[in-house]
């Protein structure tokens, strides 16, 4: 199945966003520190330091795109 999207704070101005999949794998973007944490590696890396085209950057971008999608869906629902 699809990973579950989560956010800490409000959807428009969260402190962090993340996903968790059926296997318990988490990917978290921290807006305050501008870092991405991957539970598979246990490491946090600055988003700006992720190499273009890398699996880590692609995963972080997919997470940010999901956040944008969630915000748009809420807007369409009148929220």
């Amino acid at each position: 199945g699809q990973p579950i999207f989560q956010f800490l704070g409000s959807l428009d101005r969260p402190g962090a966003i993340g996903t968790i999949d059926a296997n318990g794998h988490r990917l978290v973007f921290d807006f305050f520190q501008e870092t991405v944490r991957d539970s598979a590696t246990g490491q946090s890396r600055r988003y700006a330091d992720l190499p273009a085209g890398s699996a880590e950057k692609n995963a972080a971008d997919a997470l940010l795109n999901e956040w944008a999608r969630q915000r748009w869906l809420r807007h369409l629902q009148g929220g």
Side-chain angles (χ1 to χ4, degrees), residues 31-62:
F31 283 96
F32 297 115
Q33 297 179 17
E34 297 181 2
T35 57
V36 179
R37 179 169 178 82
D38 187 336
S39 68
T41 64
Q43 295 181 332
S44 291
R45 295 186 62 189
R46 286 185 35 81
Y47 178 77
D49 295 339
L50 298 175
S54 68
E56 296 90 352
K57 177 82 162 63
N58 292 343
D61 288 345

Side-chain angles (χ1 to χ4, degrees), residues 1-6 18-22 25-27 63 66:
Q2 289 284 84
I4 296 172
F5 177 78
Q6 301 174 315
T19 55
I20 184 168
D21 67 17
H25 175 251
R26 289 183 183 271
L27 185 67
L63 174 57
E66 179 60 22

Side-chain angles (χ1 to χ4, degrees), residues 50-74:
L50 298 175
S54 68
E56 296 90 352
K57 177 82 162 63
N58 292 343
D61 288 345
L63 174 57
L64 291 167
N65 288 337
E66 179 60 22
W67 173 53
R69 189 181 82 81
Q70 293 290 333
R71 292 175 68 202
W72 180 245
L73 288 173
R74 191 187 64 177

